Amino acid sequence: MINLHQLDQIADYDQAIAALEGFVSELVAEFVTAAEGKAYLLDYPEMTEYVGSWIDHLLYFGYAYESVTLPQMTLSNVEVIVTRIFPRKIFLLDPAEAKTIIPEIQAFWQFLKREYKHPQAHKIIKLLKQLQPRFTEIMNNSQNFGIAKTWLTSGMAAGFDMTTEAGIKEFQQSEQASTAADSTAARQSISGFLDELANLGNESLSSEHLELAANLRELAKEVVAEFPLEVPSALEFQQQLQAEMAQKLVQQMPPLTPRTISKLEAQEISLTEPGSILSDFTALLDFIGDRGIGVGGKRHLIPMKSLAQLNQQLTEPLQIDLQRPQQKSYPTIHGLYLLLRATGMGKITRLGKKTRLTLNSAVVQQWLTMNPTEQYFNLLEAWLIRANAEMLGERASGMSEGFKCLQYWSRMSPRGEKFKDYQTQQNLRYYPEFHNLALMKLFGLVEANYGKPQKSKGWRVKSVKQTDWGKTLFQALFPHGDSPLFWLESTVGSVQSGQLQQVLQPYFPQWQKIITLPSVKSIAGVYVFKVTLHRIWRRIAISSDMTLWDLSQLILQSVDFDHDHLDMFSYKDQLGTTVRVVHPYMEESPSTDETEIADLPLEVGSVMEYIFDFGDHWEFELQLEEIQPEKPHPGYGEIIASHGQAPEQYPNWEH
């Protein structure tokens, strides 16, 4: 028998995801030879070649989205994955394919019930039987689709072959032509759509409508994330849409009165007032300390072994009952980590294969010299303006955390919200997202009551209500009819510090200092990179006055690849936001032929990614091992070490 708990023994998220593939393969192989698997294939012989694909989807989405492994999977986890995530994420070439999904998953759980005595199998099998009659409709109902899936479906409906690159490009060209022809009508439609969204602010909507809206907002990000090169204007369009929506939402704010101003000026800012944000952020800084802490995976989050300890050091430790909690399982910690990155006080350093979260002493020193009012508002500005999902290791969305909070705030009932169970609090996962709600409480913007979690469940929110401080602060930030929307219109991650200071300093004259990020100094010399592709590596030395284009030529030369494809370098800036430097033919900025090595904000241990050929997607990792100070001769670049045989660039797939 297979050890179902093997993923529970892996603390690092990325390592667990990597191990999941092998785990599923073993489990499916055992299922296929079992009585339940044989019976399923007897009923659906057309699935012989594809059996196990839905089991794979179930376990992957369970771990990635519900934070549960197979042994801890419950009825509610399966219901969310099958009825919400499957329809949103999975594209079916033929709508009739949906009929095979529930039977495969049901047979799998019957197998788990008999062979592994899974404690939740009986309930899950009963749920699946109930879903079977209407599941094809669920999977093919366009109201359940995400934007990326809707886009693919519309292409198929229009007669394009969306399974090939040529078909997708043809559909894109068709859409672009149509968009150009209908631009006036589109602007009118968007204006009407914005009016409708703005009018939702004070309405009491059903949980189904709120969830649908949240799903649309969340999955709108996928188009930007999945097709950044094919749709270069998508991000700009989203930011414009965001600013226009914000303008309409802000108009709903009540006017700023003399009484409101008096409340603002009378508010005390201390370690514990109006919320515990300063106390808890200080606890995070102390926890990291001068030596820093080890972090894992590409997302560089706090490891599981440290989370419970840090949680107990906070003002209000959160209660959860999860076997494998991740950082996001503790929304307070997740929010504090976001502030750490958004302020620039936390940075990721790497030595060899070990990665650590350390403190940027220059920025922390600035914060320590500030009074409580300055500390509070610098953290608030970092959160509302600069913070974005990418700092938490999520996909870049172009949407600030502040906008998410403004959206949520605008539709909150004056009486507050109550959540009778986990199902009703589900919408909070999408808007404003759990970590933002936790930060709202830490900043004193809301009163939030947390409950005791159910067995094998996470954070439990019982009620949320706006505080008087929150109401007055939002009124000051967004005075009716004259809102400072410049920061919402700016590109997320590029906003300068001190913009909120212009608005709030009249009420809080103690706010004099702002956090400024230290500028990155160019270092002349020879940069030595270790370039890794799978199990092989090359060591390349290159002069600081050479460009990334020159570096790309050396990388390709080192693996004997031809140069007839587009490419791109990417790295993280001081705030953890991805910066991309692209091939000159892509007509974007910055480009590799105008970016010198010395222009990059790199220090020893820094990592870059090099993607070559967006079709085959060759992904190289570059780590800066050293900077030799001696001045090289002009145009210097050399492959100085090599390990392992390079793969074939164009393998013969028939063999």
Side-chain angles (χ1 to χ4, degrees):
M1 294 179 66
I2 296 170
N3 176 16
L4 297 189
H5 294 272
Q6 56 186 269
L7 293 181
D8 295 318
Q9 299 162 6
I10 304 175
D12 182 75
Y13 174 84
D14 293 297
Q15 291 179 7
I17 287 290
L20 184 61
E21 181 178 355
F23 171 70
V24 172
S25 297
E26 291 182 43
L27 200 55
V28 168
E30 186 176 358
F31 164 71
V32 169
T33 59
E36 295 82 2
K38 292 178 180 178
Y40 166 71
L41 290 176
L42 190 62
D43 292 336
Y44 299 93
E46 71 274 17
M47 293 300 295
T48 301
E49 185 178 348
Y50 308 104
V51 65
S53 58
W54 296 109
I55 297 171
D56 186 7
H57 290 319
L58 177 74
L59 299 187
Y60 171 77
F61 287 131
Y63 191 81
Y65 288 83
E66 290 292 296
S67 302
V68 293
T69 57
L70 180 57
Q72 280 76 45
M73 199 168 280
T74 65
L75 176 72
S76 62
N77 296 137
V78 174
E79 183 177 14
V80 168
I81 297 165
V82 173
T83 65
R84 299 183 188 181
I85 300 178
F86 276 11
R88 189 193 317 158
K89 298 284 188 183
I90 298 176
F91 175 74
L92 301 177
L93 290 174
D94 182 354
E97 290 181 36
K99 70 177 184 179
T100 67
I101 298 175
I102 296 296
E104 177 176 310
I105 297 175
Q106 183 177 332
F108 175 64
W109 279 98
Q110 289 169 338
F111 161 69
L112 292 176
K113 177 182 177 182
R114 177 185 60 80
E115 187 69 19
Y116 288 92
K117 307 297 186 289
H118 195 293
Q120 295 290 315
H122 177 73
K123 294 179 181 179
I124 292 172
I125 292 169
K126 185 177 179 180
L127 167 70
L128 295 170
K129 287 180 179 178
Q130 294 171 346
L131 291 175
Q132 176 61 22
R134 56 190 177 91
F135 187 71
T136 298
E137 179 184 352
I138 291 173
M139 280 297 291
N140 293 290
N141 186 343
S142 60
Q143 291 185 347
N144 298 330
F145 294 177
I147 285 184
K149 181 174 176 179
T150 300
W151 185 79
L152 290 170
T153 304
S154 63
M156 293 286 287
F160 294 92
D161 184 0
M162 304 300 283
T163 64
T164 66
E165 183 178 356
I168 290 175
K169 287 184 177 179
E170 188 178 354
F171 177 54
Q172 288 173 332
Q173 292 169 355
S174 172
E175 279 199 317
Q176 291 168 359
S178 176
T179 299
D182 299 333
S183 60
T184 301
R187 284 194 293 271
Q188 293 172 347
S189 299
I190 290 171
S191 177
F193 175 60
L194 294 175
D195 289 337
E196 291 182 23
L197 283 178
N199 292 333
L200 295 180
N202 295 320
E203 294 180 7
S204 178
L205 301 180
S206 67
S207 60
E208 289 81 6
H209 284 115
L210 290 176
E211 181 181 352
L212 177 59
N215 289 348
L216 288 173
R217 285 189 291 262
E218 176 195 349
L219 291 165
K221 308 171 191 176
E222 291 191 10
V223 174
V224 178
E226 295 293 339
F227 307 105
L229 303 176
E230 293 85 342
V231 192
S233 62
L235 184 58
E236 290 81 0
F237 172 79
Q238 182 177 353
Q239 290 167 347
Q240 179 183 358
L241 184 66
Q242 173 179 320
E244 293 182 26
M245 290 174 65
Q247 179 68 65
K248 292 182 179 293
L249 289 169
V250 166
Q251 289 173 357
Q252 301 171 17
M253 294 289 180
L256 196 61
T257 64
R259 183 182 178 187
T260 307
I261 294 173
S262 296
K263 286 184 178 180
L264 281 170
E265 294 174 340
Q267 177 63 52
E268 177 188 0
I269 306 292
S270 68
L271 282 176
T272 56
E273 292 292 336
S276 62
I277 184 64
L278 297 186
S279 175
D280 289 328
F281 190 74
T282 300
L284 175 62
L285 295 179
D286 292 341
F287 186 81
I288 297 172
D290 296 333
R291 299 182 59 188
I293 59 174
V295 291
K298 288 187 175 182
R299 301 190 300 168
H300 305 143
L301 301 181
I302 298 172
M304 186 189 307
K305 62 183 180 181
S306 301
L307 291 170
Q309 179 185 353
L310 175 57
N311 182 52
Q312 291 303 313
Q313 296 179 17
L314 302 180
T315 303
E316 185 179 3
L318 299 185
Q319 298 183 61
I320 63 173
D321 189 18
L322 297 173
Q323 294 292 324
R324 295 181 51 79
Q326 303 169 30
Q327 181 177 294
K328 66 180 180 181
S329 306
Y330 293 94
T332 305
I333 295 177
H334 210 40
L336 292 170
Y337 178 93
L338 177 65
L339 294 183
L340 189 75
R341 299 309 310 274
T343 56
M345 284 191 240
K347 66 177 184 178
I348 301 299
T349 60
R350 182 167 167 180
L351 183 61
K353 295 184 177 180
K354 294 183 178 180
T355 307
R356 298 185 70 79
L357 171 64
T358 61
L359 298 180
N360 187 327
S361 58
V363 183
V364 172
Q365 188 59 38
Q366 294 179 47
W367 194 76
L368 292 176
T369 62
M370 294 178 178
N371 61 52
T373 299
E374 292 168 332
Q375 291 181 336
Y376 179 93
F377 286 117
N378 272 278
L379 292 181
L380 182 76
E381 181 176 87
W383 171 40
L384 293 181
I385 297 182
R386 290 193 298 279
N388 65 80
E390 193 177 6
M391 296 174 185
L392 293 172
E394 307 293 341
R395 290 178 176 178
S397 67
M399 185 177 295
S400 70
E401 301 302 285
F403 181 69
K404 297 175 187 176
C405 295
L406 177 60
Q407 279 271 70
Y408 177 66
W409 185 270
S410 68
R411 66 172 176 80
M412 283 184 69
S413 167
R415 299 184 301 275
E417 297 182 294
K418 293 184 178 180
F419 307 96
K420 63 180 181 180
D421 51 30
Y422 280 96
Q423 184 70 24
T424 55
Q425 78 173 45
Q426 186 76 3
N427 292 316
L428 296 173
R429 295 183 59 182
Y430 305 108
Y431 256 72
E433 299 185 31
F434 282 162
H435 65 275
N436 283 321
L437 179 60
L439 285 175
M440 282 184 167
K441 181 172 183 178
L442 292 184
F443 278 100
L445 306 180
V446 300
E447 296 174 358
N449 295 318
Y450 308 148
K452 185 177 180 180
Q454 295 179 10
K455 183 175 176 58
S456 300
K457 290 282 189 177
W459 190 41
R460 177 73 175 93
V461 182
K462 299 185 70 175
S463 65
V464 179
K465 185 178 181 180
Q466 296 175 351
T467 63
D468 287 341
W469 163 245
K471 294 175 184 177
T472 55
L473 180 63
F474 269 91
Q475 283 180 251
L477 287 173
F478 308 103
H480 182 82
D482 186 26
S483 53
L485 288 174
F486 49 81
W487 59 277
L488 282 170
E489 296 169 350
S490 303
T491 302
V492 173
S494 66
V495 184
Q496 299 299 313
S497 299
Q499 302 216 39
L500 289 191
Q501 187 186 37
Q502 303 172 34
V503 182
L504 295 177
Q505 195 179 51
Y507 316 113
F508 299 95
Q510 309 96 310
W511 186 5
Q512 297 294 321
K513 299 177 182 178
I514 60 173
I515 290 176
T516 57
L517 295 176
S519 58
V520 179
K521 297 180 180 179
S522 297
I523 303 176
V526 174
Y527 285 58
V528 179
F529 293 96
K530 183 177 182 181
V531 182
T532 304
L533 175 65
H534 305 309
R535 296 183 179 181
I536 73 164
W537 59 262
R538 306 290 186 257
R539 185 167 283 115
I540 294 176
I542 188 169
S543 170
S544 57
D545 61 1
M546 298 287 277
T547 66
L548 284 180
W549 168 266
D550 300 315
L551 179 57
S552 71
Q553 304 309 293
L554 286 169
I555 294 172
L556 298 177
Q557 178 186 336
S558 74
V559 291
D560 197 27
F561 281 9
D562 67 41
H563 302 186
D564 297 335
H565 298 280
L566 299 178
D567 59 9
M568 174 181 69
F569 287 89
S570 66
Y571 61 88
K572 298 286 188 180
D573 64 13
Q574 295 183 74
L575 301 182
T577 301
T578 299
V579 178
R580 294 178 174 86
V581 187
V582 300
H583 193 284
Y585 288 178
M586 293 170 65
E587 298 181 353
E588 295 179 37
S589 183
S591 64
T592 55
D593 64 343
E594 62 185 13
T595 304
E596 293 186 1
I597 304 298
D599 294 336
L600 303 172
L602 301 179
E603 56 186 21
V604 174
S606 295
V607 173
M608 287 198 301
E609 189 178 72
Y610 173 61
I611 304 297
F612 174 71
D613 186 349
F614 298 135
D616 288 340
H617 196 82
W618 294 101
E619 183 176 326
F620 299 79
E621 180 187 88
L622 285 73
Q623 183 173 11
L624 180 59
E625 292 188 323
E626 64 174 318
I627 302 176
Q628 299 172 353
E630 62 267 18
K631 186 176 181 179
H633 58 77
Y636 174 73
E638 184 179 4
I639 304 165
I640 59 176
S642 178
H643 172 78
Q645 182 176 353
E648 292 184 54
Q649 183 177 3
Y650 304 110
N652 187 339
W653 296 112
E654 294 182 359
H655 297 150

